[in-house]
Amino acid sequence: MSRLHEYLIRLADDNLILSQRLSEYISRAPELEEDLAVANIALDHLGVAMHLLSYAAEVQGDGRTADDLAFLRSEREYTNVLLVEQPNVDFAHIIARQFLFDAYQTGLWQALAASNDETLAGVAAKAAKEAAYHLRHSSGWMIRLGDGTAESHDRAQAALATLWRFVDELFAGDDLDAEMAATGYGVAPEELRSEWDHRVDSTLTAATLQRSEDGYQRSGGRNGFHTEQLGHLLGEMQWMQRSYPGLQW
Amino acid sequence: MDAAFVPGVAVVTSALSLRKILGEVVDPEIPVLTIADLGILRKVEEAADGTIRVTITPTYSGCPAMDHLRAEIERVLGEHGHDRVAITTVFAPAWTTDWMTSEGRTKLEKYGIAPPRQDPTEEILCPRCRDDGSRLVSEFGATACKALRVCSSCGEPFDHFKEI
Ligand SMILES: [Zn+2]
Protein backbone atom coordinates (compact mmCIF):
# COMPACT_ATOMS: atom_id res chain seq x y z
CA MET A 1 0.00 0.00 0.00
CA SER A 2 1.48 3.37 -0.93
CA ARG A 3 2.15 5.82 1.87
CA LEU A 4 0.20 8.57 0.13
CA HIS A 5 -2.78 6.22 -0.10
CA GLU A 6 -2.56 5.54 3.64
CA TYR A 7 -2.37 9.25 4.36
CA LEU A 8 -5.38 10.07 2.19
CA ILE A 9 -7.34 7.31 3.93
CA ARG A 10 -6.82 8.76 7.40
CA LEU A 11 -7.79 12.24 6.24
CA ALA A 12 -10.85 10.82 4.52
CA ASP A 13 -11.89 8.62 7.45
CA ASP A 14 -12.05 11.56 9.87
CA ASN A 15 -14.56 13.21 7.56
CA LEU A 16 -16.49 10.09 6.60
CA ILE A 17 -17.09 8.97 10.19
CA LEU A 18 -17.98 12.45 11.45
CA SER A 19 -20.38 12.85 8.53
CA GLN A 20 -22.11 9.58 9.46
CA ARG A 21 -22.38 10.66 13.11
CA LEU A 22 -23.88 14.03 12.17
CA SER A 23 -26.32 12.37 9.77
CA GLU A 24 -27.68 10.26 12.64
CA TYR A 25 -28.75 13.48 14.33
CA ILE A 26 -30.75 14.98 11.47
CA SER A 27 -34.37 15.62 12.57
CA ARG A 28 -33.36 15.51 16.24
CA ALA A 29 -31.79 18.97 16.63
CA PRO A 30 -33.45 21.42 19.07
CA GLU A 31 -34.67 23.61 16.21
CA LEU A 32 -35.23 23.34 12.47
CA GLU A 33 -32.36 25.71 11.63
CA GLU A 34 -29.94 23.41 13.43
CA ASP A 35 -31.27 20.37 11.56
CA LEU A 36 -30.39 22.23 8.37
CA ALA A 37 -26.99 23.21 9.74
CA VAL A 38 -26.13 19.66 10.83
CA ALA A 39 -27.26 18.29 7.47
CA ASN A 40 -25.18 20.83 5.55
CA ILE A 41 -22.08 20.30 7.69
CA ALA A 42 -22.45 16.51 7.32
CA LEU A 43 -22.68 16.96 3.57
CA ASP A 44 -19.51 19.07 3.46
CA HIS A 45 -17.61 16.39 5.39
CA LEU A 46 -19.04 13.67 3.17
CA GLY A 47 -17.96 15.58 0.06
CA VAL A 48 -14.41 15.93 1.36
CA ALA A 49 -14.34 12.21 2.25
CA MET A 50 -15.64 11.25 -1.17
CA HIS A 51 -13.03 13.33 -3.02
CA LEU A 52 -10.20 11.99 -0.84
CA LEU A 53 -11.36 8.36 -1.14
CA SER A 54 -11.69 8.71 -4.92
CA TYR A 55 -8.16 10.02 -5.07
CA ALA A 56 -6.93 7.31 -2.66
CA ALA A 57 -8.49 4.68 -4.93
CA GLU A 58 -6.83 6.24 -7.96
CA VAL A 59 -3.42 6.36 -6.24
CA GLN A 60 -3.69 2.71 -5.23
CA GLY A 61 -5.00 1.56 -8.60
CA ASP A 62 -5.97 -1.92 -7.40
CA GLY A 63 -9.49 -1.74 -8.77
CA ARG A 64 -11.17 -0.76 -5.50
CA THR A 65 -13.47 2.24 -5.81
CA ALA A 66 -14.18 5.06 -3.35
CA ASP A 67 -17.40 3.23 -2.42
CA ASP A 68 -15.48 0.01 -1.74
CA LEU A 69 -13.16 1.93 0.55
CA ALA A 70 -16.05 3.63 2.33
CA PHE A 71 -18.28 0.59 2.81
CA LEU A 72 -16.23 -2.59 2.62
CA ARG A 73 -13.35 -2.17 5.04
CA SER A 74 -13.34 -3.74 8.48
CA GLU A 75 -13.25 -1.71 11.67
CA ARG A 76 -9.48 -2.16 12.16
CA GLU A 77 -8.85 -0.67 8.70
CA TYR A 78 -10.43 2.68 9.58
CA THR A 79 -7.81 5.16 10.76
CA ASN A 80 -9.96 8.10 11.89
CA VAL A 81 -9.22 9.81 15.18
CA LEU A 82 -11.35 8.65 18.12
CA LEU A 83 -12.99 12.06 18.59
CA VAL A 84 -15.13 11.86 15.45
CA GLU A 85 -16.64 8.44 16.30
CA GLN A 86 -17.90 9.54 19.73
CA PRO A 87 -21.69 9.31 20.11
CA ASN A 88 -24.06 12.26 19.78
CA VAL A 89 -25.47 12.07 23.36
CA ASP A 90 -27.06 15.55 23.27
CA PHE A 91 -26.81 18.83 21.36
CA ALA A 92 -23.98 20.06 23.60
CA HIS A 93 -21.89 16.98 22.71
CA ILE A 94 -22.54 17.53 18.98
CA ILE A 95 -21.43 21.15 19.23
CA ALA A 96 -18.42 20.49 21.47
CA ARG A 97 -17.18 17.63 19.26
CA GLN A 98 -17.63 19.80 16.18
CA PHE A 99 -15.95 22.79 17.80
CA LEU A 100 -12.83 20.86 18.86
CA PHE A 101 -12.61 19.25 15.43
CA ASP A 102 -13.40 22.38 13.36
CA ALA A 103 -10.65 24.27 15.19
CA TYR A 104 -8.26 21.43 14.21
CA GLN A 105 -9.40 21.11 10.60
CA THR A 106 -9.30 24.86 10.00
CA GLY A 107 -5.53 24.81 10.58
CA LEU A 108 -5.05 21.44 8.91
CA TRP A 109 -6.66 22.39 5.60
CA GLN A 110 -4.93 25.76 5.50
CA ALA A 111 -1.60 23.94 5.82
CA LEU A 112 -2.51 21.20 3.33
CA ALA A 113 -3.62 23.79 0.76
CA ALA A 114 0.14 24.26 0.26
CA SER A 115 0.75 20.51 -0.25
CA ASN A 116 3.12 19.45 -3.03
CA ASP A 117 0.40 17.11 -4.16
CA GLU A 118 -1.78 19.14 -6.48
CA THR A 119 -4.98 17.14 -5.98
CA LEU A 120 -4.70 17.10 -2.20
CA ALA A 121 -3.94 20.84 -2.21
CA GLY A 122 -7.08 21.49 -4.29
CA VAL A 123 -9.35 19.48 -1.98
CA ALA A 124 -7.77 21.19 1.05
CA ALA A 125 -8.17 24.73 -0.32
CA LYS A 126 -11.86 24.05 -0.81
CA ALA A 127 -12.29 22.37 2.56
CA ALA A 128 -10.46 25.24 4.32
CA LYS A 129 -13.25 27.64 3.41
CA GLU A 130 -15.88 25.22 4.65
CA ALA A 131 -14.02 24.45 7.90
CA ALA A 132 -13.77 28.16 8.71
CA TYR A 133 -17.52 28.49 8.23
CA HIS A 134 -18.19 25.39 10.34
CA LEU A 135 -15.98 26.80 13.09
CA ARG A 136 -17.89 30.07 13.10
CA HIS A 137 -21.09 28.08 13.64
CA SER A 138 -19.74 25.76 16.35
CA SER A 139 -17.89 28.58 18.17
CA GLY A 140 -21.06 30.67 18.21
CA TRP A 141 -22.96 27.78 19.79
CA MET A 142 -20.22 27.05 22.34
CA ILE A 143 -20.56 30.62 23.55
CA ARG A 144 -24.36 30.53 23.49
CA LEU A 145 -24.46 27.27 25.47
CA GLY A 146 -21.61 28.06 27.85
CA ASP A 147 -22.72 31.59 28.58
CA GLY A 148 -26.42 30.67 28.45
CA THR A 149 -28.55 29.06 31.14
CA ALA A 150 -27.23 27.00 34.04
CA GLU A 151 -28.50 23.89 32.27
CA SER A 152 -26.84 24.68 28.93
CA HIS A 153 -23.59 25.66 30.68
CA ASP A 154 -23.48 22.39 32.64
CA ARG A 155 -24.17 20.32 29.56
CA ALA A 156 -21.50 22.11 27.51
CA GLN A 157 -18.98 21.67 30.34
CA ALA A 158 -19.90 18.00 30.69
CA ALA A 159 -19.45 17.47 26.95
CA LEU A 160 -16.01 19.09 27.07
CA ALA A 161 -15.07 16.90 30.04
CA THR A 162 -16.04 13.78 28.10
CA LEU A 163 -14.43 14.75 24.80
CA TRP A 164 -11.22 16.38 26.01
CA ARG A 165 -9.53 12.97 26.37
CA PHE A 166 -9.53 12.70 22.56
CA VAL A 167 -7.79 16.04 21.90
CA ASP A 168 -4.10 15.07 22.13
CA GLU A 169 -4.58 12.38 19.49
CA LEU A 170 -5.35 15.09 16.93
CA PHE A 171 -1.80 16.40 17.27
CA ALA A 172 0.12 13.19 17.92
CA GLY A 173 2.07 12.72 14.72
CA ASP A 174 3.37 9.25 13.80
CA ASP A 175 5.84 7.92 11.19
CA LEU A 176 3.40 8.43 8.38
CA ASP A 177 2.76 12.08 9.31
CA ALA A 178 6.51 12.71 9.58
CA GLU A 179 7.15 11.07 6.22
CA MET A 180 4.39 13.03 4.50
CA ALA A 181 5.58 16.28 6.08
CA ALA A 182 9.14 15.57 4.93
CA THR A 183 8.05 15.02 1.32
CA GLY A 184 5.92 18.18 1.41
CA TYR A 185 2.74 16.20 0.76
CA GLY A 186 1.44 16.46 4.29
CA VAL A 187 1.79 18.38 7.51
CA ALA A 188 3.18 17.43 10.93
CA PRO A 189 0.11 17.72 13.20
CA GLU A 190 2.27 18.86 16.14
CA GLU A 191 2.73 22.15 14.29
CA LEU A 192 -1.01 22.80 14.36
CA ARG A 193 -1.31 22.66 18.16
CA SER A 194 -0.40 26.17 19.30
CA GLU A 195 -2.76 27.83 16.85
CA TRP A 196 -5.49 25.39 17.92
CA ASP A 197 -4.87 26.20 21.60
CA HIS A 198 -5.23 29.87 20.86
CA ARG A 199 -8.41 29.42 18.82
CA VAL A 200 -10.05 27.15 21.37
CA ASP A 201 -9.06 29.15 24.45
CA SER A 202 -10.40 32.45 23.16
CA THR A 203 -13.81 30.86 22.52
CA LEU A 204 -13.86 28.97 25.82
CA THR A 205 -13.12 32.19 27.70
CA ALA A 206 -16.02 33.94 25.99
CA ALA A 207 -18.17 30.89 26.75
CA THR A 208 -17.17 30.85 30.48
CA LEU A 209 -16.13 27.21 29.99
CA GLN A 210 -13.03 25.38 31.24
CA ARG A 211 -10.67 22.96 29.58
CA SER A 212 -10.76 19.54 31.17
CA GLU A 213 -7.34 19.15 32.77
CA ASP A 214 -7.42 15.72 34.39
CA GLY A 215 -4.66 14.66 31.98
CA TYR A 216 -6.35 11.43 30.90
CA GLN A 217 -5.89 10.95 27.15
CA ARG A 218 -6.88 8.19 24.74
CA SER A 219 -5.46 7.36 21.33
CA GLY A 220 -5.18 4.49 18.85
CA GLY A 221 -7.49 5.54 16.05
CA ARG A 222 -4.65 6.15 13.58
CA ASN A 223 -3.58 2.53 14.09
CA GLY A 224 -7.09 1.15 13.78
CA PHE A 225 -7.69 0.65 17.52
CA HIS A 226 -11.08 2.21 18.14
CA THR A 227 -13.56 2.76 20.94
CA GLU A 228 -16.52 0.38 20.90
CA GLN A 229 -18.59 3.19 19.34
CA LEU A 230 -17.14 2.75 15.85
CA GLY A 231 -18.33 -0.83 15.39
CA HIS A 232 -21.94 0.18 15.98
CA LEU A 233 -21.61 3.11 13.61
CA LEU A 234 -20.12 0.91 10.87
CA GLY A 235 -22.78 -1.73 11.41
CA GLU A 236 -25.39 0.81 10.39
CA MET A 237 -23.32 2.54 7.70
CA GLN A 238 -22.26 -0.66 5.95
CA TRP A 239 -25.42 -2.71 6.32
CA MET A 240 -26.77 -2.00 2.84
CA GLN A 241 -23.58 -2.87 0.96
CA ARG A 242 -22.91 -5.91 3.14
CA SER A 243 -26.44 -7.23 2.70
CA TYR A 244 -26.79 -6.42 -0.99
CA PRO A 245 -23.23 -6.47 -2.40
CA GLY A 246 -22.74 -4.14 -5.34
CA LEU A 247 -26.09 -2.41 -4.86
CA GLN A 248 -26.32 0.84 -6.84
CA TRP A 249 -28.77 3.70 -6.38
CA MET B 1 -2.20 32.59 -15.56
CA ASP B 2 -4.20 29.92 -17.34
CA ALA B 3 -6.72 31.74 -19.51
CA ALA B 4 -9.33 29.19 -18.48
CA PHE B 5 -9.50 30.45 -14.92
CA VAL B 6 -10.65 34.02 -15.25
CA PRO B 7 -14.02 34.97 -13.78
CA GLY B 8 -16.86 33.86 -15.97
CA VAL B 9 -16.13 31.25 -18.57
CA ALA B 10 -13.12 31.09 -20.77
CA VAL B 11 -13.86 29.73 -24.19
CA VAL B 12 -11.16 27.99 -26.10
CA THR B 13 -10.94 28.05 -29.91
CA SER B 14 -14.11 27.03 -31.74
CA ALA B 15 -15.98 26.15 -28.60
CA LEU B 16 -18.02 29.35 -28.56
CA SER B 17 -21.16 27.64 -29.74
CA LEU B 18 -20.59 24.80 -27.32
CA ARG B 19 -20.42 27.29 -24.50
CA LYS B 20 -23.77 28.65 -25.61
CA ILE B 21 -25.22 25.17 -25.74
CA LEU B 22 -23.99 24.40 -22.24
CA GLY B 23 -25.44 27.71 -21.12
CA GLU B 24 -28.78 25.88 -21.23
CA VAL B 25 -27.79 23.62 -18.35
CA VAL B 26 -29.33 24.91 -15.13
CA ASP B 27 -28.56 24.29 -11.49
CA PRO B 28 -31.24 21.86 -10.21
CA GLU B 29 -31.48 23.61 -6.84
CA ILE B 30 -31.64 27.17 -8.20
CA PRO B 31 -33.17 26.66 -11.63
CA VAL B 32 -32.90 30.32 -12.69
CA LEU B 33 -29.10 30.01 -12.76
CA THR B 34 -27.13 28.22 -15.42
CA ILE B 35 -23.75 26.64 -14.77
CA ALA B 36 -22.25 29.52 -16.76
CA ASP B 37 -23.95 32.09 -14.48
CA LEU B 38 -22.59 30.30 -11.42
CA GLY B 39 -19.05 30.05 -12.71
CA ILE B 40 -19.12 26.25 -12.30
CA LEU B 41 -18.39 25.78 -16.01
CA ARG B 42 -14.67 26.50 -16.26
CA LYS B 43 -13.61 25.36 -19.70
CA VAL B 44 -15.07 23.97 -22.90
CA GLU B 45 -12.89 22.75 -25.72
CA GLU B 46 -13.06 20.42 -28.66
CA ALA B 47 -10.22 17.92 -28.99
CA ALA B 48 -8.77 16.93 -32.36
CA ASP B 49 -10.73 13.68 -32.32
CA GLY B 50 -14.00 15.56 -31.77
CA THR B 51 -14.29 14.79 -28.07
CA ILE B 52 -15.79 17.69 -26.17
CA ARG B 53 -13.76 18.31 -23.04
CA VAL B 54 -15.70 20.10 -20.33
CA THR B 55 -14.11 21.24 -17.07
CA ILE B 56 -16.34 22.00 -14.10
CA THR B 57 -15.70 22.83 -10.45
CA PRO B 58 -18.02 22.19 -7.49
CA THR B 59 -19.46 25.05 -5.44
CA TYR B 60 -19.14 23.07 -2.18
CA SER B 61 -17.25 19.82 -1.55
CA GLY B 62 -20.46 17.94 -0.93
CA CYS B 63 -22.61 19.65 -3.55
CA PRO B 64 -25.18 16.95 -4.38
CA ALA B 65 -25.97 18.57 -7.74
CA MET B 66 -22.66 17.60 -9.36
CA ASP B 67 -23.70 14.12 -10.53
CA HIS B 68 -26.87 15.57 -11.95
CA LEU B 69 -24.95 18.34 -13.72
CA ARG B 70 -22.51 15.88 -15.29
CA ALA B 71 -25.45 13.87 -16.64
CA GLU B 72 -27.12 17.05 -17.92
CA ILE B 73 -23.97 18.21 -19.71
CA GLU B 74 -23.73 14.86 -21.47
CA ARG B 75 -27.41 14.91 -22.35
CA VAL B 76 -27.39 18.45 -23.76
CA LEU B 77 -24.23 17.90 -25.79
CA GLY B 78 -25.68 14.60 -27.00
CA GLU B 79 -28.81 16.37 -28.23
CA HIS B 80 -26.53 18.57 -30.32
CA GLY B 81 -24.78 15.62 -31.87
CA HIS B 82 -21.79 15.39 -29.59
CA ASP B 83 -21.59 11.86 -28.27
CA ARG B 84 -17.99 11.90 -27.18
CA VAL B 85 -17.83 13.96 -24.02
CA ALA B 86 -15.16 13.99 -21.31
CA ILE B 87 -16.02 15.86 -18.14
CA THR B 88 -13.27 16.71 -15.67
CA THR B 89 -13.92 18.04 -12.17
CA VAL B 90 -11.23 20.35 -10.81
CA PHE B 91 -10.87 21.74 -7.28
CA ALA B 92 -8.14 24.31 -7.71
CA PRO B 93 -8.54 27.17 -7.76
CA ALA B 94 -11.44 26.74 -5.34
CA TRP B 95 -14.78 28.08 -6.55
CA THR B 96 -15.75 31.48 -5.21
CA THR B 97 -18.95 33.48 -5.47
CA ASP B 98 -16.85 36.17 -7.19
CA TRP B 99 -17.19 34.02 -10.31
CA MET B 100 -20.95 34.47 -10.43
CA THR B 101 -21.79 36.70 -13.39
CA SER B 102 -23.63 39.99 -12.90
CA GLU B 103 -26.43 38.55 -15.03
CA GLY B 104 -26.57 35.63 -12.59
CA ARG B 105 -26.75 38.00 -9.62
CA THR B 106 -29.65 39.91 -11.20
CA LYS B 107 -31.56 36.70 -11.96
CA LEU B 108 -30.95 35.46 -8.42
CA GLU B 109 -32.40 38.59 -6.83
CA LYS B 110 -35.48 38.49 -9.11
CA TYR B 111 -35.94 34.87 -8.04
CA GLY B 112 -36.10 36.03 -4.40
CA ILE B 113 -32.59 35.13 -3.22
CA ALA B 114 -30.22 37.90 -2.10
CA PRO B 115 -27.15 37.51 -4.31
CA PRO B 116 -23.60 37.18 -2.93
CA ARG B 117 -22.07 40.62 -2.39
CA GLN B 118 -18.95 41.58 -4.31
CA ASP B 119 -17.97 43.70 -1.34
CA PRO B 120 -18.90 41.90 1.92
CA THR B 121 -18.85 45.19 3.87
CA GLU B 122 -21.98 46.25 1.97
CA GLU B 123 -25.41 45.59 3.49
CA ILE B 124 -27.44 42.66 2.24
CA LEU B 125 -30.59 43.92 0.51
CA CYS B 126 -33.94 42.21 1.01
CA PRO B 127 -34.81 40.77 -2.42
CA ARG B 128 -38.48 41.65 -1.85
CA CYS B 129 -38.39 45.30 -0.68
CA ARG B 130 -34.66 46.07 -1.11
CA ASP B 131 -34.41 47.35 2.47
CA ASP B 132 -30.88 47.06 3.85
CA GLY B 133 -31.89 46.00 7.37
CA SER B 134 -32.06 42.27 7.99
CA ARG B 135 -31.00 39.77 10.62
CA LEU B 136 -29.32 36.38 10.32
CA VAL B 137 -31.63 33.54 11.33
CA SER B 138 -29.35 30.65 10.44
CA GLU B 139 -25.87 30.31 8.94
CA PHE B 140 -27.19 27.33 6.99
CA GLY B 141 -30.25 27.40 4.75
CA ALA B 142 -32.02 24.86 2.58
CA THR B 143 -28.80 24.21 0.66
CA ALA B 144 -25.13 24.55 1.59
CA CYS B 145 -24.74 27.74 -0.45
CA LYS B 146 -27.46 29.73 1.34
CA ALA B 147 -28.00 31.35 4.73
CA LEU B 148 -31.42 32.25 6.09
CA ARG B 149 -32.23 35.88 7.00
CA VAL B 150 -35.34 37.85 7.89
CA CYS B 151 -36.05 41.38 6.64
CA SER B 152 -36.56 44.00 9.37
CA SER B 153 -38.70 46.16 7.10
CA CYS B 154 -41.18 43.87 5.37
CA GLY B 155 -40.75 41.05 7.88
CA GLU B 156 -40.33 38.34 5.24
CA PRO B 157 -37.70 35.63 5.57
CA PHE B 158 -35.32 35.25 2.63
CA ASP B 159 -32.34 33.23 1.51
CA HIS B 160 -28.95 34.86 1.06
CA PHE B 161 -26.43 33.25 -1.28
CA LYS B 162 -23.36 33.28 0.98
CA GLU B 163 -20.08 34.76 -0.14
CA ILE B 164 -17.26 32.25 -0.15
ZN1 LIG C 1 -37.98 43.24 2.92
Side-chain angles (χ1 to χ4, degrees):
Chain A
M1 203 191 313
S2 96
R3 298 291 268 171
L4 178 59
H5 174 84
E6 274 183 74
Y7 190 62
L8 294 168
I9 290 288
R10 66 169 56 173
L11 294 173
D13 283 348
D14 286 353
N15 288 281
L16 178 66
I17 300 304
L18 181 56
S19 172
Q20 177 70 18
R21 268 289 178 245
L22 289 169
S23 303
E24 291 170 4
Y25 197 66
I26 297 168
S27 84
R28 296 171 195 183
E31 54 188 36
L32 180 61
E33 286 74 14
E34 288 314 301
D35 270 331
L36 293 176
V38 165
N40 275 310
I41 294 166
L43 195 56
D44 285 341
H45 287 302
L46 185 63
V48 170
M50 184 184 73
H51 297 313
L52 290 172
L53 288 177
S54 301
Y55 185 41
E58 187 189 319
V59 166
Q60 192 66 1
D62 64 359
R64 282 198 294 176
T65 65
D67 276 357
D68 293 339
L69 292 171
F71 295 119
L72 300 178
R73 281 179 294 149
S74 67
E75 186 200 4
R76 283 290 308 277
E77 294 173 290
Y78 283 81
T79 51
N80 56 279
V81 289
L82 302 178
L83 175 66
V84 296
E85 69 197 39
Q86 296 313 304
N88 290 331
V89 187
D90 63 7
F91 186 61
H93 274 73
I94 302 239
I95 291 299
R97 185 182 62 205
Q98 196 68 33
F99 167 64
L100 299 173
F101 190 68
D102 290 343
Y104 159 72
Q105 278 212 320
T106 298
L108 176 74
W109 295 132
Q110 281 168 4
L112 287 178
S115 168
N116 286 344
D117 185 280
E118 204 182 317
T119 304
L120 178 55
V123 173
K126 187 128 209 71
K129 290 184 177 194
E130 291 159 7
Y133 202 77
H134 297 168
L135 180 62
R136 203 163 90 196
H137 174 260
S138 57
S139 301
W141 269 108
M142 282 306 285
I143 295 170
R144 228 188 293 185
L145 294 175
D147 194 24
T149 64
E151 173 79 11
S152 70
H153 176 93
D154 290 350
R155 286 196 184 214
Q157 192 61 66
L160 275 180
T162 305
L163 297 173
W164 202 267
R165 71 196 62 176
F166 305 109
V167 163
D168 283 1
E169 189 188 28
L170 297 171
F171 306 100
D174 59 9
D175 290 353
L176 179 58
D177 288 310
E179 200 179 311
M180 287 294 118
T183 56
Y185 283 176
V187 58
E190 295 87 345
E191 290 172 13
L192 305 171
R193 181 75 196 234
S194 65
E195 207 186 327
W196 183 90
D197 281 332
H198 179 74
R199 246 183 231 123
V200 165
D201 287 342
S202 64
T203 297
L204 290 187
T205 303
T208 71
L209 293 168
Q210 315 293 323
R211 282 170 170 244
S212 178
E213 300 287 18
D214 65 9
Y216 176 59
Q217 288 290 326
R218 293 280 310 272
S219 65
R222 293 294 187 222
N223 296 318
F225 295 104
H226 293 278
T227 58
E228 83 169 275
Q229 311 296 344
L230 184 66
H232 298 286
L233 179 148
L234 292 179
E236 189 167 305
M237 191 176 91
Q238 297 188 336
W239 176 81
M240 192 75 87
Q241 279 301 326
R242 298 285 189 190
S243 305
Y244 303 93
L247 179 77
Q248 300 266 325
W249 288 109
Chain B
M1 186 179 178
D2 186 338
F5 292 114
V6 293
V9 182
V11 179
V12 182
T13 64
S14 64
L16 191 65
S17 58
L18 293 174
R19 181 236 174 274
K20 261 192 134 163
I21 290 167
L22 289 177
E24 295 170 17
V25 174
V26 297
D27 183 299
E29 287 171 336
I30 309 174
V32 291
L33 293 185
T34 68
I35 56 175
D37 291 330
L38 277 161
I40 290 175
L41 182 62
R42 302 310 300 157
K43 192 149 100 179
V44 185
E45 54 190 350
E46 187 165 0
D49 68 353
T51 301
I52 308 302
R53 297 188 183 282
V54 180
T55 305
I56 54 175
T57 192
T59 51
Y60 283 78
S61 296
C63 179
M66 293 308 281
D67 281 344
H68 171 83
L69 288 177
R70 276 189 281 271
E72 273 296 286
I73 288 169
E74 284 186 6
R75 186 187 65 77
V76 168
L77 287 173
E79 277 179 3
H80 288 81
H82 296 286
D83 292 331
R84 277 190 287 183
V85 178
I87 303 171
T88 309
T89 305
V90 296
F91 299 99
W95 181 81
T96 158
T97 37
D98 293 344
W99 293 350
M100 191 184 291
T101 61
S102 56
E103 195 190 349
R105 287 166 208 268
T106 308
K107 286 197 266 184
L108 205 53
E109 186 168 29
K110 278 202 187 126
Y111 187 60
I113 297 172
R117 294 159 295 175
Q118 263 141 337
D119 173 5
T121 60
E122 285 170 15
E123 295 294 338
I124 297 163
L125 300 183
C126 166
R128 192 171 299 265
C129 72
R130 297 193 56 86
D131 190 87
D132 64 0
S134 67
R135 148 180 93 73
L136 181 68
V137 176
S138 174
E139 304 247 26
F140 294 88
T143 61
C145 58
K146 288 175 284 184
L148 189 61
R149 303 187 71 88
V150 64
C151 176
S152 319
S153 177
C154 70
E156 289 292 325
F158 66 89
D159 277 327
H160 168 227
F161 202 113
K162 300 183 287 211
E163 299 82 19
I164 67 164

